[in-house]
Amino acid sequence: MILPPSTLGMLGGGQLGRFFVAAAHELGYRVWVLDPDPHSPAGLIADRHLVAGYEDYAALDELAQGCAAISTEFENVPAGTLDYLAKFVVVRPSAAAVSICQNRIAEKNFLRQHGLPVANFVAVHQEQDLREASADLFPGILKVARFGYDGKGQAVVGSAEEAIAAFQHFKGETCVLEEKLQLACEVSVVLARDEHGLSKSFPTAENSHRAGILDVSLVPARASDALSSRAAELAGRIAERLGYIGTLAVEFFVVRGELVVNEMAPRPHNSGHYTLDACLTSQFEQQVRTLCGLPLGDTRAHSAAAMVNLLGDIWYESGPAGNRYREPDWAQLHAVPGLKLHLYGKHHARHGRKMGHFTVLDADPGKARELAMAARAAIGILDAP
Ligand code: ADP
Ligand code: MG
């Protein structure tokens, strides 16, 4: 076991890294963060911030020398970087697991090989692959195989011609074309798996998106208990087949009452932010625990929860003279009973940028949702979730 006051390393300095730093500090560890952005949210609160790129080997050497174990908050860390660090120090999750999750083709092939339900898809390396694509894949969604997030690098396409145009727009980048499913809803499972192969999942969340970005997560999900447990079971099987150690998130589509795996994230996940306030252990504490070889924490929720993301859009107030940039009225949120606000310390709000979130807790799931929806409108998110 790696125990305090050891130093832990974190690749990536976004909000997920920041919550990891806070959880590790709470347990008595020190944390060094590596991120090229000098203002990164996690770097600001770390014991040391190495302002360097993910392939800066001098900085990686320093990180490996200074840290007892290293994790990542960012699935696009080059697998070579994780492999290199693993020569000197404990790295969790492994490069092999991360490289499957960071490429949609590798991810879908992995799921299919292990008999897990996925949407029909085809890998697209060239226009010819789209001309030959089966008609059942239309209407479909063309997605870049790497580096897509929050709905970026995706296009809904009705025909092979439209798909070719979108492929050209993505500059011939390797893509997957998958069938567009009729979603009844979306759910996700966050779990942690330790070095002995034991895993514990958090309660299944129900998620809704706005413009491709997570908007609201509800826990418990308004799905049957059977569906929620089946999602946890499938996520557990994925973690096991990946030989995964760490916190893992799995996103699912619900289609005609059945689960289809959408994608995995080899790190804590936005839809697991509710665990910070509603569970005995958070997804970030589990990340620390699995990294250090501590026993897994208890994942029970003590409350129902409704989480709402706060994007940079609410910093822009539209008025007769155009858009005005101002700080949202946080006092309104603090007045709501059971509401916990988290702001990520980002210096400038941009449209679509994740700036913070809040979670409303209540014994009654309907009440938590109702209070959260009213607070969401009060802070300026006006369209229906
Ligand atoms: P990202 O990496 O941006 O999260 P996803 O593949 O999860 O990419 O897609 C973002 C959202 O787009 C999903 O949460 C879902 O709402 C919608 N979506 C993605 N793929 C499909 C699909 N095959 N059918 C229907 N909706 C989809
Ligand atoms: Mg997604």
Side-chain angles (χ1 to χ4, degrees), residues 65-100:
Q65 275 157 26
C67 298
I70 297 174
S71 190
T72 175
E73 60 121 40
F74 172 56
E75 64 265 43
N76 292 318
V77 168
T81 294
L82 298 173
D83 268 334
Y84 178 75
L85 291 168
K87 290 188 203 159
F88 312 106
V89 59
V90 173
V91 175
R92 291 173 177 165
S94 69
V98 173
S99 57
I100 290 172

Side-chain angles (χ1 to χ4, degrees), residues 100 106-114 241-242 264:
I100 290 172
E107 184 173 54
K108 287 175 190 296
N109 283 332
F110 167 87
L111 292 166
R112 201 148 68 174
Q113 275 156 21
H114 290 280
R241 300 289 155 84
L242 281 171
M264 292 99 80

Side-chain angles (χ1 to χ4, degrees), residues 32-204:
W32 290 9
V33 165
L34 183 136
D35 188 299
D37 174 4
H39 305 290
S40 78
L44 293 175
I45 65 162
D47 297 272
R48 183 152 177 227
H49 178 189
L50 297 164
V51 182
Y54 301 106
E55 288 173 299
D56 176 332
Y57 283 80
L60 296 178
D61 284 339
E62 222 177 324
L63 192 70
Q65 275 157 26
C67 298
I70 297 174
S71 190
T72 175
E73 60 121 40
F74 172 56
E75 64 265 43
N76 292 318
V77 168
T81 294
L82 298 173
D83 268 334
Y84 178 75
L85 291 168
K87 290 188 203 159
F88 312 106
V89 59
V90 173
V91 175
R92 291 173 177 165
S94 69
V98 173
S99 57
I100 290 172
C101 301
Q102 70 188 189
N103 182 314
R104 293 189 195 274
I105 298 173
E107 184 173 54
K108 287 175 190 296
N109 283 332
F110 167 87
L111 292 166
R112 201 148 68 174
Q113 275 156 21
H114 290 280
L116 289 143
V118 278
N120 287 323
F121 73 95
V122 65
V124 180
H125 302 284
Q126 51 198 15
E127 288 181 16
Q128 192 59 21
D129 297 326
L130 290 167
R131 285 192 200 100
E132 289 167 5
S134 151
D136 332 329
L137 290 173
F138 297 102
I141 304 187
L142 188 74
K143 302 180 179 179
V144 292
R146 290 208 57 188
F147 303 114
Y149 68 99
D150 287 345
K152 292 180 184 63
Q154 297 194 11
V156 175
V157 290
S159 61
E161 295 69 52
E162 280 179 37
I164 289 168
F167 183 62
Q168 287 167 352
H169 179 77
F170 296 146
K171 304 195 165 53
E173 184 97 39
T174 300
C175 287
V176 292
L177 173 67
E178 62 182 72
E179 61 178 326
K180 186 171 192 303
L181 298 168
Q182 286 296 331
L183 312 183
C185 69
E186 294 183 66
V187 298
S188 60
V189 172
V190 175
L191 61 73
R193 185 168 181 275
D194 72 13
E195 61 202 306
H196 310 294
L198 183 71
S199 80
K200 279 191 187 177
S201 57
F202 290 99
T204 302

